[in-house]
Amino acid sequence: MTGYQHILLAADFQDDSARVAERAKELASRYEARLSLLHVVENMPVEPGNELMIPPTANVEQELLNNAERRLRDLASRLSVADGDHEVRVGQTKREIIDHAEENGVDLIVVGSHSRHGLALLLGSTANAVLHGAPCDVLAVRL
Ligand code: AMP
């Protein structure tokens, strides 16, 4: 099997995301690959029921960004990921993950398999969308 050189962990900070992170870290160590982290702040936050919240003010958006950056820095430090290798982007989650992978020569994307949006689905909406649009291999860690 060909080794991976650049692994991207899509981090959503959910309770079970530590398992996904551990798997990405383990693979990066095994293949001596570069490990990058990405978290996406959605343009318009949605509640679990998929209902739109009131459009956020600039302050709320800035606060969401600051919070996401702080959490991603903490995760990067726990996983020994280099300073330049973690990024918070604003936009549509699946689009940003795929764009990030294309722009940075990622050859494996690691995501969690679950869905917060419907327990009946085998793959969550993000994992499913990434799997179909990715320019590289995708590992959906079963949650
Ligand atoms: P979902 O399909 O939304 O339940 O999410 C499945 C997986 O997609 C998560 O375990 C993460 O790996 C990834 N993911 C979901 N939301 C985000 C986000 N905002 N930023 C980065 N990755 C995410």
Side-chain angles (χ1 to χ4, degrees):
M1 185 182 173
T2 313
Y4 294 108
Q5 294 184 338
H6 190 180
I7 297 174
L8 174 65
L9 166 64
D12 67 356
F13 309 135
Q14 295 298 302
D15 289 346
D16 49 11
S17 63
R19 282 190 46 217
V20 186
E22 275 162 26
R23 195 84 177 93
K25 175 71 182 170
E26 179 193 313
L27 287 168
S29 302
R30 181 179 307 173
Y31 290 111
E32 298 181 352
R34 178 178 166 196
L35 177 62
S36 293
L37 312 183
L38 173 68
H39 176 76
V40 182
V41 173
E42 289 271 343
N43 280 324
M44 187 78 74
V46 288
E47 288 185 318
N50 254 355
E51 286 163 20
L52 285 176
M53 289 163 51
I54 299 163
T57 63
N59 279 349
V60 172
E61 263 182 355
Q62 192 54 53
E63 208 170 305
L64 281 172
L65 265 179
N66 292 345
N67 189 37
E69 273 162 7
R70 181 178 50 74
R71 297 184 77 171
L72 201 63
R73 264 199 312 275
D74 288 350
L75 180 62
S77 148
R78 285 202 298 280
L79 298 177
S80 307
V81 166
D83 270 353
D85 284 346
H86 51 90
E87 187 182 358
V88 173
R89 289 187 174 211
V90 179
Q92 189 192 26
T93 302
K94 60 189 175 199
R95 189 68 264 156
E96 296 303 327
I97 293 172
I98 289 165
D99 286 355
H100 186 286
E102 276 170 358
E103 289 162 19
N104 293 282
V106 165
D107 50 12
L108 177 67
I109 301 172
V110 180
V111 293
S113 67
H114 69 87
S115 172
R116 294 187 300 278
H117 311 298
L119 292 174
L121 294 175
L122 180 61
L123 275 183
S125 53
T126 308
N128 198 29
V130 169
L131 189 61
H132 286 99
C136 60
D137 289 357
V138 177
L139 173 67
V141 177
R142 184 173 285 278
L143 293 172

